[in-house]
Amino acid sequence: MIRKQDALDYHEQGRPGKIEVISTKSCATQRELSLAYTPGVADPCMEIFANPDDAFRYTAKGNLVAVVSNGTAVLGLGDIGALAGKPVMEGKGVLFKRFADIDVFDIELNSHDPDEIVKTVAMLEPTFGGINLEDIKAPECFYIEEHLKKMMNIPVFHDDQHGTAIISGAALLNALEVVGKKIHDIKVVFSGAGAAGIACAKFYETLGVQRKNILLVDTKGVVHKGRTDGMNPYKEYFAAETDLRTLEEAMKGADAFCGVSKKGVVTKAMLKSMADNPIVFAMANPDPEITYEDALDARDDVIMATGRSDYPNQVNNVLGFPFIFRGTLDARASSINDEMKKAAALALATLAKEDVPDSVIRAYGGKRIEFGREYIIPKPFDPRVLLWEAPAVAKAAMTSGVARRPIKDFEAYRDSLEARLGKSREVMRFFIHRAQSEPKRIVFPEGEEEKIIRAAQIIVDENIAKPVLLGSRTLIRQRAADLGISLDGIEMVNPSKSEHLDSYTTAYFQKRQRKGVTHFDAEREMKMHDIFGMMMVDKGDADGLISGLTQGYPDTVRPALQIIGKKDGASIIAGLYMLVFKNQTIFIADATVNIDPTAEQLAEIAILTAEKVKQFDIEPRVALLSFSNFGSTKHPLTEKVRKATAIVKRLAPDLKVDGEMQADTAVSPDILNELYPFSTLKGGANILICPDLTSANIAYKLLAKLAGATAIGPMLLGIRKPVYLIVPGNEVTDIVNISAMAVFEAQMSSRGNGAASSKVLQKIQNKSESTTA
């Protein structure tokens, strides 16, 4: 429950309000000032003068939307005026930015004159890429939108009308699928004949509801032929030939109810009079036409949706406008037409049938969410909505002929949308695309776990890998059935019944017979899923392994070393984390395995890390860290790092590496250039080699928690074949992403990448052995 004071504090504290303008270009020097303003700004001005479309190249127009209101129908508050409605318009801007990375200026017009509003908004066309009309009362809102759409060459969209229609339309399609009814057969009653009510009725007609099966009810009763009281041309369109006059009469035998009116207008008796499996969308805010509790008490076969977040099936406009405008702006559409609205609804309806990510489940209380009576529409905080709805809208703009910049490569477009969700999403798309080019067999020892089964389905659907789940086939099938997951394309292997059990046991015994393992032990241990999975990888029956969801790192690392072993020339293994920030990516090692590495081991960790980073098409720039800058402090700990740096430089002379240095020096090109111009590390480091596990582990966790970095890893370095670690807290999406990384590494291994570094590692090992001797 939101208290009044909480809401006031939220808006008042810190910088008043909810929005600010931030420059997208640096303006820190005199030169940059001259570029941002006079004289440099004249050049893009003249380019736009010569070619108006260049405004989309040189200004923010293409990603800028005006949220325009006169405050005459603000939420459930009514006509409170333009100024009082400003917090809502600012909030709309927050949602545009948060969900679709669209910039907004809110514009409050102090006028009740529709023609004056039309004239004013039309004159704003040079500034904006689109217009979102908001909280303007009916019927003026219809007049204003209709005229602006005719006058302007940019999209105009009244969200109060079309947003509710599109979202509830998606819910209607899925509700009908759940109850097994056909849209052209159903009878629908609409309570409320304002902007939202009429728009919902029109949109449902577009989806397939027959107009003869629609009854519109307002405060005067049923909208019928011959009625004159409270009528307008927009209501007249739905005037029915009927003797019914009240909402109670209209509800009898109806299949669906769409409420955008006011609290409490529907009774339990009305609900009981509806047809079997009634669909009830009680969307009045903040209180619905009938409460969720009353609806379920009246009918146990009802499918209920409201505008509230504390009940299932929330019809929230935030599922529409940000993503509709995103696709519209990206296709540079001249309007938002019925085809685009329908595409948005269909995309939402389809998405609701997909497996729900763990992040969404956790955001909504941790209870399992699956398609059915209590989940007919995606949740507002589902990050996939952007990736489904925006492309669908853009594609519809193209096929309907209103796109002025058609999107040529939708896969690349989806990648760009991923990037808008965060840099880490963009980074993971790199691995996913590479994996899809040549999927490999990845074995999951914890194949009976729910998260693994869910991840496996996504991996198959996305053609990322060929998953092999270890465990009881019966149990895996049962859990998949409970989850509603198809096992098509997913291989299941029960180690204790595998045709390879005897040969694996013999091979394992031969590897471990002088390590205290008897043949009896080998037979017993080979039925352990991790041991069996490692043997699959070792023998080439799988290309990589992912484990750790139900156990600690050592339980996965130990059998990997015992069975698969280290790569040629490597004397150690190490754990690497990729830290993805908004504008850069940093790698930190070793944060997982080596507690207090020697100088030789630090050098090896640095070379292994550089090799891995090269595989990502990133040029490695390595800094070996300490609490000293290039000899400023004499101490055995700094001496170890200096020695390690010297070894790396000698054995990998082409590698950009330097040390020992402090962390801020390593990532600050200005400090390096000004204070240490002799350093060979120009441009700052992207690989940070910490002197021990303590510092590396602390560093990556602090950066992830306090600096907003996304930590991806750990990636095991030095192992002969891909073995990736996951942890109990990993989500399904994490497992899918790590699978893509494992496939990528398997691809690199099969092509012989890393052979050159193996020779360098051998030199380090030889040096270490001679030093020890």
Side-chain angles (χ1 to χ4, degrees), residues 567-572 603-615 620 648 651-653 655 717-719 745 748-749 752-766:
K567 68 193 304 181
D568 292 343
S571 66
I572 61 169
E604 186 169 349
I605 291 167
I607 292 171
L608 285 169
T609 302
E611 174 195 335
K612 174 65 69 177
V613 171
K614 280 182 183 177
Q615 291 180 357
V648 177
L651 297 178
L655 184 61
L717 307 174
I719 204 80
E745 183 173 342
M748 295 296 102
S749 298
N753 287 41
S757 69
S758 293
K759 297 178 181 179
V760 175
L761 296 174
Q762 187 63 57
K763 291 179 182 179
I764 294 175
Q765 189 170 1
N766 293 341

Side-chain angles (χ1 to χ4, degrees), residues 171 281 292 303-308 311-316 372-377 379:
F281 297 163
Y292 180 78
I303 291 184
M304 178 77 170
T306 70
R308 295 174 61 118
Y311 297 129
N313 300 321
Q314 182 189 16
V315 177
N316 191 322
R373 289 178 177 271
E374 292 193 346
Y375 180 65
I376 56 175
I377 192 166
K379 299 291 187 180

Side-chain angles (χ1 to χ4, degrees), residues 69-86 89 109-113 117 134-138 140:
S69 178
N70 68 347
T72 52
V74 179
L75 300 177
L77 305 175
D79 186 353
I80 62 173
L83 180 60
K86 183 173 174 61
M89 308 315 134
L109 299 177
N110 194 19
S111 174
H112 283 65
D113 183 341
I117 293 171
E134 193 75 19
D135 291 350
I136 301 172
K137 73 181 180 71
E140 290 89 339

Side-chain angles (χ1 to χ4, degrees), residues 540-742:
D541 295 325
D543 301 296
L545 178 145
I546 295 173
S547 186
L549 197 64
T550 60
Q551 60 192 19
Y553 287 163
D555 296 316
T556 301
V557 172
R558 190 181 303 110
L561 286 171
Q562 292 171 347
I563 297 171
I564 298 173
K566 296 186 286 289
K567 68 193 304 181
D568 292 343
S571 66
I572 61 169
I573 64 170
L576 171 67
Y577 276 89
M578 178 191 298
L579 291 163
V580 182
F581 297 85
K582 183 175 182 180
N583 297 314
Q584 64 177 329
T585 300
I586 296 289
F587 299 86
I588 291 182
D590 168 23
T592 307
V593 181
N594 300 282
I595 295 175
D596 187 15
T598 65
E600 289 76 18
Q601 289 172 332
L602 274 181
E604 186 169 349
I605 291 167
I607 292 171
L608 285 169
T609 302
E611 174 195 335
K612 174 65 69 177
V613 171
K614 280 182 183 177
Q615 291 180 357
F616 304 152
D617 293 336
I618 297 173
E619 181 187 35
R621 301 190 304 276
V622 185
L624 284 88
L625 302 184
S626 184
F627 57 85
S628 169
N629 278 319
F630 306 105
S632 63
T633 301
K634 305 297 182 184
H635 189 277
L637 293 178
T638 61
E639 179 58 33
K640 179 179 78 168
V641 179
R642 272 199 299 278
K643 183 179 178 183
T645 304
I647 294 172
V648 177
K649 286 186 173 183
R650 184 172 68 252
L651 297 178
D654 295 331
L655 184 61
K656 293 183 177 179
V657 58
D658 215 340
E660 90 290 7
M661 68 178 74
Q662 296 176 5
D664 59 336
T665 301
V667 296
S668 303
D670 292 342
I671 294 178
L672 283 169
N673 292 336
E674 182 178 348
L675 300 181
Y676 309 105
F678 55 83
S679 174
T680 55
L681 191 64
K682 304 300 181 184
N686 55 14
I687 296 174
L688 305 179
I689 304 299
C690 296
D692 52 37
L693 188 145
T694 299
S695 55
N697 194 272
I698 290 171
Y700 100 78
K701 288 184 176 178
L702 279 177
L703 288 170
K705 287 296 182 183
L706 300 183
T710 298
I712 300 173
M715 299 170 246
L716 277 186
L717 307 174
I719 204 80
R720 187 166 61 86
K721 292 187 176 182
V723 174
Y724 275 71
L725 307 176
I726 53 179
V727 297
N730 280 139
E731 299 176 357
V732 170
T733 302
D734 299 322
I735 298 167
V736 172
N737 289 340
I738 290 169
S739 300
M741 296 173 72

Side-chain angles (χ1 to χ4, degrees), residues 254-545:
D255 297 284
F257 168 81
C258 178
V260 281
S261 51
K262 64 179 182 177
K263 171 184 177 180
V265 297
V266 175
T267 66
K268 290 183 182 182
M270 291 181 191
L271 188 53
K272 289 178 181 178
S273 73
M274 295 179 71
D276 291 343
N277 291 300
I279 298 166
V280 176
F281 297 163
M283 299 179 290
N285 269 319
D287 298 304
E289 285 81 0
I290 182 171
T291 67
Y292 180 78
E293 293 83 2
D294 283 351
L296 264 64
D297 185 55
R299 299 284 294 262
D300 58 10
D301 62 344
V302 66
I303 291 184
M304 178 77 170
T306 70
R308 295 174 61 118
S309 60
D310 49 350
Y311 297 129
N313 300 321
Q314 182 189 16
V315 177
N316 191 322
N317 283 19
V318 79
L319 283 168
F321 66 86
F323 315 109
I324 293 168
F325 266 99
R326 180 75 275 157
T328 301
L329 294 174
D330 292 338
R332 205 173 294 169
S334 57
S335 64
I336 298 173
N337 56 30
D338 285 344
E339 291 87 348
M340 294 160 73
K341 297 170 194 172
K342 188 173 181 179
L346 292 173
L348 288 170
T350 304
L351 177 58
K353 301 169 193 174
E354 297 290 310
D355 186 53
V356 179
D358 290 331
S359 59
V360 177
I361 293 172
R362 191 170 58 249
Y364 289 89
K367 184 181 177 182
R368 184 173 155 193
I369 302 172
E370 60 183 343
F371 181 68
R373 289 178 177 271
E374 292 193 346
Y375 180 65
I376 56 175
I377 192 166
K379 299 291 187 180
F381 279 98
D382 191 330
R384 301 171 301 166
V385 176
L386 175 64
L387 309 179
W388 283 66
E389 191 173 351
V393 170
K395 195 169 289 185
M398 292 164 57
T399 56
S400 62
V402 297
R404 290 175 292 191
R405 188 184 64 177
I407 294 169
K408 298 177 181 178
D409 184 343
F410 270 89
E411 191 63 40
Y413 176 53
R414 287 187 180 88
D415 289 348
S416 72
L417 295 175
E418 288 270 14
R420 291 184 184 278
L421 290 173
K423 185 71 175 177
S424 62
R425 300 289 289 261
E426 182 182 14
V427 169
M428 287 315 308
R429 292 303 296 177
F430 165 86
F431 292 109
I432 289 171
H433 285 321
R434 294 292 286 267
Q436 289 168 333
S437 69
E438 188 186 352
K440 298 288 187 179
R441 284 168 58 84
I442 303 298
V443 61
F444 295 87
E446 299 155 310
E448 297 170 348
E449 293 297 315
E450 177 182 312
K451 287 183 179 179
I452 299 296
I453 297 170
R454 291 169 58 203
Q457 184 194 37
I458 297 171
I459 289 165
V460 170
D461 289 346
E462 295 291 323
N463 195 36
I464 292 169
K466 301 171 184 177
V468 181
L469 307 188
L470 301 188
S472 163
R473 287 187 174 89
T474 302
L475 183 55
I476 293 172
R477 288 193 183 104
Q478 182 59 54
R479 289 187 173 166
D482 292 343
L483 294 166
I485 287 175
S486 169
L487 292 172
D488 291 345
I490 299 172
E491 183 179 347
M492 295 173 285
V493 175
N494 188 335
S496 64
K497 297 180 180 180
S498 170
E499 60 182 340
H500 297 296
L501 181 61
D502 291 341
S503 63
Y504 284 1
T505 298
T506 300
Y508 180 62
F509 173 63
Q510 290 172 352
K511 282 176 177 287
R512 304 296 296 166
Q513 59 187 348
R514 292 186 179 274
K515 303 290 185 181
V517 175
T518 67
H519 198 279
F520 176 80
D521 293 332
E523 289 178 337
R524 175 176 51 82
E525 292 178 19
M526 193 46 59
K527 295 176 182 179
M528 298 177 181
H529 295 183
D530 268 315
I531 301 293
F532 189 91
M534 297 294 178
M535 284 302 301
M536 288 185 69
V537 176
D538 182 63
K539 293 300 181 183
D541 295 325
D543 301 296
L545 178 145

